[in-house]
Amino acid sequence: KGVMDLFRRFMFERVYHSEPLRPDRDRATFVLTTLFEYFHARPDELPEEFRAGIERWGRKQVVTDYIAGLTDVYAIELFEEMFIPRKWVGYQSK
């Protein structure tokens, strides 16, 4: 137990609450909040297995569960796919 307490304290001080990582935490919060708001407003765009649970557990909980289950990489890819404009092929700026 003592080692785990030391490890936990280290992780909170040096990773979870570290000042140098604040910009990344803020960006992650923005990505997750934006995805939550999007799917909460458009539950029909959730995967079927999640849509099926809305009546039983409610939209907020289902969207929360969906977002919580995303890997970091997939959440970022999904955000980029949904909200970041793609370069136009062949577009030439003057």
Side-chain angles (χ1 to χ4, degrees):
K1 181 180 173 179
V3 172
M4 285 306 292
D5 288 341
L6 285 172
F7 178 69
R8 186 175 190 277
R9 189 167 45 241
F10 171 84
M11 291 300 291
F12 274 91
E13 290 172 3
R14 302 288 175 95
V15 179
Y16 306 139
H17 296 146
S18 73
E19 197 56 38
L21 295 178
R22 178 182 295 277
D24 286 330
R25 284 194 309 273
D26 292 345
R27 284 190 285 269
T29 298
F30 179 77
V31 167
L32 296 175
T33 300
T34 303
L35 289 174
F36 177 87
E37 290 170 353
Y38 180 88
F39 286 112
H40 191 267
R42 298 165 189 82
D44 53 310
E45 294 191 32
L46 287 166
E48 172 56 36
E49 62 268 23
F50 286 90
R51 290 193 312 262
I54 290 175
E55 188 174 323
R56 181 173 182 185
W57 292 295
R59 185 186 311 184
K60 183 177 180 180
Q61 186 62 55
V62 167
V63 173
T64 298
D65 291 345
Y66 176 65
I67 300 298
L70 301 176
T71 65
D72 296 352
V73 171
Y74 185 68
I76 293 167
E77 288 175 356
L78 186 59
F79 179 89
E80 288 176 343
E81 179 182 310
M82 295 168 67
F83 299 106
I84 305 299
R86 301 200 194 304
K87 291 184 195 178
W88 292 355
V89 177
Y91 174 77
Q92 301 280 330
S93 63
K94 296 183 180 193

